[in-house]
Amino acid sequence: MDTEKKPLRADARRNYERLLEEARRAFAAHGVEASLEEIARRAGVGIGTLYRHFPTREALVETVLRDRFDGQAAAARELLDSPEPLAALKSWLTGMGEQSARYRGLPELMVDVLDDETSPLYASCHAMRDGVSHLVERAKASGGLRADVTVDELLVLLHALSWASEHLSGDKGLERLVDLVFAGLRAS
Amino acid sequence: MDTEKKPLRADARRNYERLLEEARRAFAAHGVEASLEEIARRAGVGIGTLYRHFPTREALVETVLRDRFDGQAAAARELLDSPEPLAALKSWLTGMGEQSARYRGLPELMVDVLDDETSPLYASCHAMRDGVSHLVERAKASGGLRADVTVDELLVLLHALSWASEHLSGDKGLERLVDLVFAGLRAS
DNA sequence: CGACTATACGGAGGCCGCCTCCGATTTGTC
DNA sequence: GACAAATCGGAGGCGGCCTCCGTATAGTCG
């Protein structure tokens, strides 16, 4: 796969950076459905320029988030050495959940992407998916995780908790929900 | 509280019914964010007429769903007599979850409503909330449900599962997720 | 330093959805 | 049948999405 790309012209590169910066701001303020026209306006750029650099909203989101996602995939690799498989998995899931709760609306986008190979986010997401699947295997093998649960179920569940934490007034919501789900709702 | 209302004029009543019917159809086809203009168009009615009868989208959703929600509240009351408190709770939650997964986007709307007293759905939702809170108390008292979980957490969690089941290809998703969460993810 | 071309810009314009407002129409009544 | 109250309907303003193409400019070459 050749990722070779001609160097951008100076003005193009400048606009690209400005757009990314405003996108970050806008997503943080209004969630992942923020107005693209406003992002362009704030970046001092025409709407056409935004669409040239980022043909779809997803492409923009992907660029804003890629670094974090790559970090999350790396974290999965490192956690493979952890002495406690179940704790490692749980820790990774919490981290992932926090990433996906970063912007309002992101969990939904993420879940949809997991089924859509054509999405620009697909590659990043599946790098993580592969990473975590090893963590899951290890947790099952260690006897810490029930054997009948699949990676995909786990990821959907996690994004659901992420989604839920958006709609909770308290901010320590996600960790609590993950604990709840790992331990189960039955009395011990 | 006087719910007395003058009888509607014949044309008004007719349009009201047509709108409800088309709304049901549209919500089923396109989710709860379906275009209101299209609903009006299909009902053979001006957009102004739609807004006169249903000032907000929520008002329309509420009218479409009220009967089901009332039924759900009644179900909670009946289940209070069940000999198995935990099973009763679980059964109610599954039923509720299926209601809220009925239309795409509904779980989100529901969760938001639970915090918004001004919403027209608030009353229906809290009737159910009160109903289920007794089920929860009973389940805790019977020792089946962990004592540190709140009704609100339970409802948010449930709607999250409902939300997740929208994004799952399989259709038996919700029940499976509820089981998973009740039992917990740890190996037994 | 110009001139030339590939590259990039920007916003007008078409489409759609939301919601409000008010002149036109219809219903029920006396 | 006439009148008032109730109801209708859609034009119009707003904002968002996205495409298209005439215009501007950066980089290059003589």
Side-chain angles (χ1 to χ4, degrees):
Chain A
M1 31 179 105
D2 51 357
T3 320
E4 61 178 309
K5 34 187 76 173
K6 299 179 183 177
L8 288 175
R9 234 170 65 176
D11 51 349
R13 176 135 224 88
R14 184 162 26 88
N15 287 334
Y16 181 91
E17 298 298 347
R18 282 187 187 165
L19 281 168
L20 274 184
E21 193 169 333
E22 289 306 328
R24 267 186 282 267
R25 216 194 301 282
F27 290 161
H30 308 295
V32 106
E33 299 294 342
S35 160
L36 297 182
E37 306 232 314
E38 179 160 351
I39 291 174
R41 225 177 293 132
R42 296 223 188 206
V45 141
I47 183 65
T49 298
L50 185 152
Y51 275 96
R52 195 165 333 96
H53 285 302
F54 308 101
T56 66
R57 179 183 297 275
E58 263 186 18
L60 182 50
V61 173
E62 197 260 340
T63 307
V64 164
L65 293 177
R66 176 156 39 196
D67 289 352
R68 301 187 191 281
F69 283 176
D70 288 350
Q72 207 56 37
R77 260 172 265 124
E78 284 163 23
L79 282 167
L80 274 178
D81 298 330
S82 154
E84 296 197 28
L86 185 65
L89 174 61
K90 209 170 141 184
S91 149
W92 186 88
L93 286 175
T94 305
M96 177 73 251
E98 275 162 6
Q99 291 306 327
S100 111
R102 177 158 233 95
Y103 301 129
R104 189 152 37 88
L106 187 52
E108 174 135 33
L109 198 158
M110 299 276 293
V111 165
D112 288 343
V113 155
L114 284 171
D115 264 337
D116 175 13
E117 305 185 13
T118 73
S119 158
L121 273 166
Y122 187 81
S124 303
C125 281
H126 274 252
M128 295 184 311
R129 186 184 172 289
D130 292 344
V132 76
S133 75
H134 294 123
L135 283 179
V136 167
E137 290 315 318
R138 231 167 56 101
K140 283 185 186 174
S142 80
L145 183 71
R146 50 192 287 179
D148 69 326
V149 71
T150 69
V151 180
D152 289 326
E153 281 177 329
L154 227 45
L155 286 178
V156 169
L157 209 44
L158 176 70
H159 288 303
L161 299 186
S162 229
W163 175 90
S165 75
E166 287 180 354
H167 298 269
L168 240 38
S169 31
D171 32 37
K172 272 302 170 196
L174 182 61
E175 207 167 343
R176 160 75 174 162
L177 292 178
V178 171
D179 283 344
L180 225 47
V181 168
F182 263 83
L185 294 175
R186 294 188 205 282
S188 47
Chain B
M1 34 180 100
D2 50 355
T3 319
E4 60 177 310
K5 34 187 77 172
K6 299 178 183 177
L8 288 176
R9 235 170 64 175
D11 51 350
R13 176 136 225 88
R14 184 163 25 89
N15 287 335
Y16 181 90
E17 297 298 348
R18 281 187 187 165
L19 282 169
L20 274 185
E21 192 169 333
E22 288 305 328
R24 267 187 281 267
R25 214 194 302 282
F27 290 161
H30 308 294
V32 104
E33 299 294 341
S35 159
L36 298 182
E37 307 231 314
E38 179 159 352
I39 291 174
R41 226 177 294 133
R42 295 220 188 208
V45 142
I47 184 64
T49 298
L50 185 152
Y51 275 96
R52 195 166 334 95
H53 285 302
F54 307 102
T56 67
R57 168 180 246 100
E58 263 186 18
L60 181 52
V61 173
E62 198 260 339
T63 307
V64 164
L65 294 177
R66 177 157 35 199
D67 288 352
R68 300 187 191 282
F69 283 175
D70 289 350
Q72 208 54 38
R77 260 174 264 124
E78 284 164 22
L79 281 166
L80 274 178
D81 298 331
S82 153
E84 297 198 28
L86 185 65
L89 174 61
K90 211 170 138 183
S91 148
W92 186 89
L93 286 175
T94 304
M96 176 75 251
E98 275 161 7
Q99 291 307 326
S100 111
R102 176 157 232 96
Y103 301 129
R104 190 153 36 90
L106 187 52
E108 175 135 33
L109 198 158
M110 299 277 293
V111 164
D112 288 343
V113 156
L114 285 170
D115 264 337
D116 175 13
E117 305 186 12
T118 72
S119 158
L121 274 165
Y122 187 81
S124 302
C125 281
H126 275 252
M128 294 185 311
R129 185 184 173 288
D130 292 345
V132 76
S133 76
H134 293 123
L135 283 180
V136 167
E137 289 315 317
R138 230 167 55 103
K140 283 186 186 174
S142 80
L145 182 71
R146 50 191 288 178
D148 69 327
V149 71
T150 69
V151 179
D152 289 325
E153 281 176 328
L154 228 45
L155 286 177
V156 169
L157 210 44
L158 175 70
H159 287 302
L161 299 186
S162 227
W163 174 90
S165 75
E166 286 181 357
H167 298 267
L168 240 36
S169 31
D171 32 38
K172 272 303 172 196
L174 182 61
E175 208 167 341
R176 161 76 174 160
L177 292 178
V178 171
D179 282 345
L180 224 48
V181 168
F182 263 84
L185 294 174
R186 294 186 205 284
S188 47

